[in-house]
Amino acid sequence: MDNLNNPLSAILVSVFLVGSVTAFGRKLISLLKIKTDSALESLLFGAALGLGILGYVVLSVGLLQLLRWEILLTIIALIVLFSLKEISQLLRKVFSRLKKREPKRKAKVASVLIAISTISLGILALIQALSPPAGLDWDGLAYHLAVPKLYISKHGIYYIPFISHSNFPFLTEMWYTLGLAVGSTIIAKLFHFWMYIATAISIYSLGRKHISPLTGSIGAL
């Protein structure tokens, strides 16, 4: 799986993983008959629920000392199979939005500047996520990536006496564990990048809903 450390391959796999668990979360929201105010809110809650469940599943597998990439990929495959209908619906919505032509209107200078700034910061964050962990990435080297690597080497979660941070709640690190289990540091770090994107979109959604679209945009920036 060395090719998963290729940035393009890692991005595609990461999008597939996050998209699949988001569809899984949306499927559960639908089954539970939970109503959301917009398609964007449905997407965000689906992502939060799906990623949360994925984290707990990997945690459970680790506690059972079954932390092997074959088992983790089987779990992902089951999630995809369960969510196939929702995945196809998501893809159709995305493509329909891309094809939909909205009437041209002159964008305000403030909106353009905010959009350019937000996209620029997103690109910088993506570059950081695609780069190998280095000296400035103390958290990653000290425990975000270091501890899951030790778990994988032992095929399970165990007490690590020489890393105090390993005693913290480790839900986010379970995503890193999944990425590292398939041999990709980049996929592990991209999970954190998507959290960053989801947070920005969540702030935009809240601002737009309760105040105005411009407020949401500024908040996201």
Side-chain angles (χ1 to χ4, degrees):
M1 300 186 185
D2 291 339
N3 60 338
L4 291 183
N5 274 312
N6 173 281
L8 180 57
S9 300
I11 290 172
L12 292 175
V13 172
S14 173
V15 169
F16 172 76
L17 288 172
V18 174
S20 296
V21 296
T22 298
F24 177 71
R26 280 170 55 99
K27 177 87 170 181
L28 293 179
I29 288 173
S30 175
L31 291 174
L32 294 171
K33 301 186 184 303
I34 298 173
K35 294 182 179 179
T36 54
D37 292 340
S38 66
L40 186 59
E41 281 190 12
S42 174
L43 192 70
L44 289 167
F45 280 110
L49 183 59
L51 285 167
I53 290 173
L54 177 65
Y56 280 115
V57 167
V58 176
L59 176 65
S60 301
V61 170
L63 291 173
L64 292 170
Q65 308 302 306
L66 297 172
L67 204 54
R68 299 178 183 276
W69 68 267
E70 301 96 327
I71 293 175
L72 294 174
L73 289 184
T74 300
I75 291 169
I76 294 297
L78 291 173
I79 288 174
V80 171
L81 286 173
F82 179 77
S83 314
L84 273 178
K85 184 177 179 181
E86 192 67 36
I87 291 172
S88 65
Q89 288 176 352
L90 271 176
L91 289 173
R92 282 200 299 270
K93 286 180 181 179
V94 170
F95 287 124
S96 65
R97 285 291 180 91
L98 291 174
K99 290 179 180 179
K100 187 179 178 182
R101 294 183 178 180
E102 296 185 358
K104 292 182 179 181
R105 56 186 177 185
K106 190 175 180 180
K108 295 180 180 179
V109 175
S111 299
V112 173
L113 290 175
I114 290 170
I116 292 173
S117 301
T118 304
I119 292 169
S120 299
L121 289 172
I123 292 172
L124 290 174
L126 178 59
I127 292 171
Q128 178 67 20
L130 297 176
S131 64
L136 294 176
D137 186 11
W138 188 91
D139 287 351
L141 293 171
Y143 67 100
H144 281 319
L145 296 169
V147 175
K149 184 178 179 180
L150 292 173
Y151 289 162
I152 292 167
S153 68
K154 298 291 186 181
H155 303 296
I157 294 172
Y158 65 100
Y159 174 60
I160 303 173
F162 53 88
I163 301 180
S164 61
H165 288 66
S166 65
N167 296 299
F168 292 175
F170 254 34
L171 187 61
T172 303
E173 282 72 18
M174 294 301 101
W175 305 335
Y176 297 164
T177 302
L178 176 60
L180 292 175
V182 297
S184 177
T185 304
I186 295 178
I187 290 177
K189 293 180 70 178
L190 281 172
F191 273 112
H192 217 154
F193 171 77
W194 292 119
M195 187 195 302
Y196 159 72
I197 296 297
T199 302
I201 296 174
S202 299
I203 294 170
Y204 168 76
S205 178
L206 282 169
R208 185 185 69 171
K209 178 179 178 180
H210 296 289
I211 306 176
S212 70
L214 180 60
T215 301
S217 299
I218 293 172
L221 173 60

